[in-house]
Amino acid sequence: MQKLGAEFFGTFWLVLGGCGSAVLAAAFPGVGIGLHGVALAFGLTVLTMAYAIGHISGCHLNPAVSLGLCLGGRFPAKDLPGYVVAQVLGGLAAGAVLYLIASSKAGFDVAAGFASNGYGEHSPGGYGLVAALVTEVVMTAFFLVVILGATDKRAPAGFAPIAIGLCLTLIHLISIPVTNTSVNPARSTGVALYVGGWAVAQLWLFWVAPLLGAAVGAGIYRFIGGEQK
């Protein structure tokens, strides 16, 4: 229960910090943080939580990461369902808090997106389904390569959170224009259910692509990294 609680609160922080920066701060008049700030915010949520709860639950915060670690031989399959449930519930709780905050502003319209992920007309840059699918698969795959490599027993100790946080920042810098960046089904679900409509209709992609990408990333690292020594 301690591990599941850590994943719940860790994912809560990721969604509140990352999506909150997009909803509340990205376009704030005069001092909006824009794409670069949102990308950094997502990276900082993982970096801070990795140091806070990494020693408790491993700080997955993401069903795709849990799956990739499982396929990479770093995480027991029996614990996977519980982690996924805790992560999704944490994302939904953060979405509720963010909705409560954001909806108090005059003119708020959840249909405008609420930091949801999308493709086609709901892609920030107008990118289509195939581009969104490829982007999410590739970005998640390399996220898993970095996670597995940085947490390998052969890697320098103590620096994994920095590498993983900066990797997530880089992923957002690349892919926000394409899909608003998911690489995390819990993050996508945490806001999409409050938007409904198109966000829920397109949510399938932001489960399928990250999970597929995680499997690819685990396979890549098993090939290039071999077994931990």
Side-chain angles (χ1 to χ4, degrees):
M1 291 304 297
Q2 288 179 315
K3 292 180 179 181
L4 297 182
E7 286 298 305
F8 175 90
F9 289 110
T11 309
F12 178 98
W13 184 237
L14 182 147
V15 174
L16 184 63
C19 295
S21 70
V23 172
L24 304 175
F28 191 79
V31 293
I33 62 175
L35 180 153
H36 301 93
V38 172
L40 182 60
F42 271 101
L44 288 174
T45 62
V46 172
L47 173 62
T48 52
M49 271 297 144
Y51 282 114
I53 67 169
H55 56 286
I56 301 172
S57 67
C59 191
H60 299 184
L61 317 184
N62 182 339
V65 170
S66 295
L67 176 64
L69 291 173
C70 180
L71 296 175
R74 306 280 186 84
F75 181 64
K78 65 181 178 62
D79 292 341
L80 184 59
Y83 266 54
V84 172
V85 170
Q87 292 155 0
V88 171
L89 290 178
L92 288 170
V97 170
L98 181 57
Y99 182 86
L100 181 64
I101 295 169
S103 61
S104 69
K105 180 181 178 181
F108 171 74
D109 181 12
V110 72
F114 198 51
S116 290
N117 303 112
Y119 55 85
E121 63 178 314
H122 301 294
S123 158
Y127 291 85
L129 172 61
V130 173
L133 178 65
V134 171
T135 298
E136 289 291 326
V137 169
V138 172
M139 294 298 147
T140 311
F142 276 88
F143 192 32
L144 262 296
V145 170
V146 170
I147 291 171
L148 288 165
T151 57
D152 194 303
K153 292 179 179 178
R154 296 166 290 180
F159 293 99
I162 298 173
I164 295 167
L166 289 177
C167 179
L168 189 59
T169 298
L170 175 59
I171 286 169
H172 279 77
L173 289 173
I174 298 168
S175 59
I176 283 178
V178 183
T179 62
N180 218 18
T181 310
S182 171
V183 303
N184 185 340
R187 168 262 187 270
S188 298
T189 304
V191 290
L193 294 190
Y194 296 94
V195 177
W198 68 265
V200 173
Q202 295 190 355
L203 183 58
W204 67 270
L205 181 113
F206 302 105
W207 274 87
V208 172
L211 293 176
L212 178 58
V216 172
I220 291 173
Y221 194 75
R222 276 188 174 272
F223 173 71
I224 64 174
E227 297 295 327
Q228 284 194 74
K229 304 299 183 183

